[in-house]
Amino acid sequence: MFGIFQAVYALACAQRLMSFCLVVAGTPVNRIPIMAKQVLDLYTLYKLVTEKGGLVEVINKKIWREITKGLNLPTSITSAAFTLRTQ
């Protein structure tokens, strides 16, 4: 039962994040972000990056590998940092 509530919460957060991108940043989300042949979980990406101190901290400390592990992405993706920043 908890899984259903977690999924609904994650969906609501992802929708709020997409709205934020459109309203504040002026950048609409026109396509579903895909990485390693799977849909990129924007909510989890946002949560992981903010837990590490935000985008600037993740970039400066070069800890994208930790972010990719948290997203359960394959370690074989050598362009993960670039791909995640541009999604």
Side-chain angles (χ1 to χ4, degrees):
M1 188 75 160
F2 177 73
I4 293 171
F5 292 117
Q6 188 176 14
V8 170
Y9 177 74
L11 179 61
C13 289
Q15 289 174 334
R16 285 196 339 251
L17 181 60
M18 288 181 178
S19 295
F20 170 81
C21 290
L22 178 60
V23 174
V24 176
T27 307
V29 178
N30 294 324
R31 61 182 168 74
I32 297 172
I34 305 241
M35 193 163 179
K37 298 180 182 179
Q38 63 187 19
V39 175
L40 182 61
D41 184 349
L42 294 177
Y43 169 72
T44 303
L45 173 61
Y46 173 78
K47 197 167 89 172
L48 289 168
V49 170
T50 54
E51 286 173 0
K52 298 292 182 184
L55 181 63
V56 174
E57 286 295 311
V58 171
I59 292 171
N60 289 341
K61 293 180 179 177
K62 299 179 181 179
I63 52 176
W64 285 107
R65 177 82 54 205
E66 293 178 34
I67 303 298
T68 58
K69 285 181 186 176
L71 291 168
N72 298 317
L73 295 171
T75 56
S76 60
I77 302 175
T78 56
S79 63
F82 173 77
T83 305
L84 286 172
R85 284 195 311 261
T86 58
Q87 291 286 333

